[in-house]
Amino acid sequence: MSHIPSSEITPEQLFWQRRRMFSLPMFAGASTLLAACGSAAPVSQEPPATPEAPFTPGAVVGQSDELGNTLTPYETVTGYNNYYEFTTDKERVKDVAAGFVTSPWSVVVDGLVAKPRTFGLEDLQALQAAERIYRLRCVEGWSMVVPWSGFPLHALLSLVEPTATAKYVRFETLNDVTRMPGQSEPWYQWPYVEGLRLDEAMHDLTLMATGVYGKPLPAQNGAPLRLVVPWKYGFKSIKAVVRITLTDTQPTSLWMAAAPDEYGFFANVNPRVDHPRWSQADERRIGELGRRPTLVFNGYKDQVASMYTGMDLRKFY
Ligand code: MTE
């Protein structure tokens, strides 16, 4: 990938300037922020189904995540992408996706729910209450640190009221080869599908992102709406979501269908479980020269490990 001279970018500065304008709660102390996140969601008063120790990465003033990692520049976050519906060339996704129309857009939320509903973008805007700095670790062995904005997925799911039989959440990307030329490649089963267990979906770290660096999400990053699950490999974070379906059976993702020996349902970041074709012990942070150790659950172990107690994470990869 091409090197972007630091003289050409002022991403962090730009981001934090915008942040002040937005006066979002992230600059507050952690406890204030958590209260704000809970109460700022205007339509959902429901707590997550599985309340976890409250935690919001990036609840630090400055230009880094809660571990001190510097944000990846905006130009890199939006210029080096995986989005097979457009092209497999990471540095060309932004160009191929440039004219992608993301409005009007609607998201069907259905399946095992009491109140199935179709949401328009304006409905989703009412849910926007979260800003999160998350590490993104791609299964290919590279990573970034990205400041997202959006809303916790549980805020949306609680509106449709999952039934007692709902155990999984299935996500689907737009399926329209006239708008997504990469879908003419026949060796993947389109549309792109991903899934989470319901407790994972309801976890407060699980975000639906509509923005990055305080700006609307660009097409190449999954506009107008994409999932972000920071403790899982990046392929779980499905882009351009049009359907969210609650089910009682484990969904089969596009990657599970394409290469079942290589990609499992859980895909939790785990430096101790290698990909069959390469090590997952370390990663290249985009913009850095060397490699750095990969962290268990991508550094979110304290927040998410309890969801996997008793599971053999080599088997459930
Ligand atoms: N979602 C869809 N619909 N199509 C894709 O090809 N690629 C995934 C994920 N979501 C992908 C997708 C992969 S492999 C990664 S690493 C992340 O998106 C990359 O997100 P980014 O381009 O915003 O960094």
Side-chain angles (χ1 to χ4, degrees):
M1 85 155 223
S2 63
H3 177 67
I4 302 165
S6 56
S7 56
E8 288 181 13
I9 48 181
T10 52
E12 293 93 349
Q13 236 177 313
L14 178 70
F15 175 63
W16 292 108
Q17 277 165 8
R18 294 184 63 90
R19 288 293 304 281
R20 269 170 227 125
M21 280 165 51
F22 285 7
S23 69
L24 286 162
M26 197 161 174
F27 291 109
S31 55
T32 320
L33 173 61
L34 290 160
C37 282
S39 58
V43 272
S44 168
Q45 303 306 322
E46 298 284 324
T50 53
E52 291 288 327
F55 171 79
T56 300
V60 288
V61 177
Q63 302 172 357
S64 56
D65 69 6
E66 83 287 1
L67 300 182
N69 294 289
T70 307
L71 300 182
T72 301
Y74 177 83
E75 287 75 6
T76 308
V77 171
T78 59
Y80 186 85
N81 302 99
N82 267 338
Y83 205 166
Y84 279 27
E85 284 88 338
F86 291 102
T87 169
T88 54
D89 181 341
K90 295 182 192 353
E91 290 170 62
R92 286 193 60 240
V93 174
K94 65 175 183 311
D95 300 324
V96 181
F100 183 60
V101 176
T102 57
S103 179
W105 192 271
S106 55
V107 183
V108 174
V109 187
D110 63 359
L112 299 174
V113 297
K115 296 180 176 169
R117 193 173 145 189
T118 300
F119 293 85
L121 285 184
E122 55 295 345
D123 304 315
L124 300 175
Q125 267 149 19
L127 290 169
Q128 288 189 11
E131 290 221 331
R132 309 277 174 85
I133 298 174
Y134 283 158
R135 295 171 289 286
L136 173 83
R137 168 60 157 87
C138 180
V139 74
E140 297 165 343
W142 53 266
S143 62
M144 298 190 186
V145 184
V146 184
W148 304 104
S149 44
F151 53 88
L153 177 60
H154 63 70
L156 180 63
L157 293 181
S158 59
L159 291 180
V160 297
E161 299 178 11
T163 65
T165 49
K167 293 194 167 37
Y168 296 92
V169 186
R170 180 183 184 278
F171 303 83
E172 205 176 289
T173 295
L174 179 71
N175 193 18
D176 184 349
V177 71
T178 66
R179 297 166 67 190
M180 296 180 138
Q183 289 179 335
S184 61
E185 301 293 359
W187 51 84
Y188 294 107
Q189 284 174 30
W190 307 108
Y192 198 102
V193 167
E194 261 308 335
L196 294 174
R197 225 171 46 190
L198 184 58
D199 58 337
E200 298 176 323
M202 296 296 281
H203 194 286
D204 191 52
L205 287 187
T206 303
L207 192 72
M208 295 304 298
T210 55
V212 66
Y213 268 98
K215 301 180 184 191
L217 206 58
Q220 61 269 30
N221 292 94
L225 182 71
R226 60 91 59 86
L227 182 69
V228 184
V229 195
W231 70 96
K232 293 178 180 283
Y233 290 116
F235 67 83
K236 299 293 285 183
S237 294
I238 180 172
K239 298 177 173 181
V241 173
V242 292
R243 184 171 217 125
I244 299 175
T245 306
L246 286 279
T247 71
D248 55 7
T249 48
Q250 186 175 286
T252 301
S253 68
L254 174 139
W255 288 111
M256 289 164 73
D261 295 339
E262 300 192 357
Y263 303 105
F265 175 77
F266 286 94
N268 292 316
V269 174
N270 191 339
R272 292 191 279 268
V273 178
D274 288 339
H275 186 281
R277 289 184 281 132
W278 59 84
S279 165
Q280 293 292 26
D282 56 23
E283 67 200 55
R284 186 170 69 94
R285 179 68 43 81
I286 302 293
E288 292 179 356
L289 285 180
R291 296 183 73 83
R292 51 167 68 213
T294 286
L295 304 176
V296 178
F297 292 111
N298 205 20
Y300 303 97
K301 178 169 174 273
D302 290 349
Q303 292 73 46
V304 303
S306 63
M307 289 192 289
Y308 309 101
T309 305
M311 284 174 65
D312 179 352
L313 296 178
R314 290 187 177 276
K315 190 170 161 211
F316 297 100
Y317 58 90

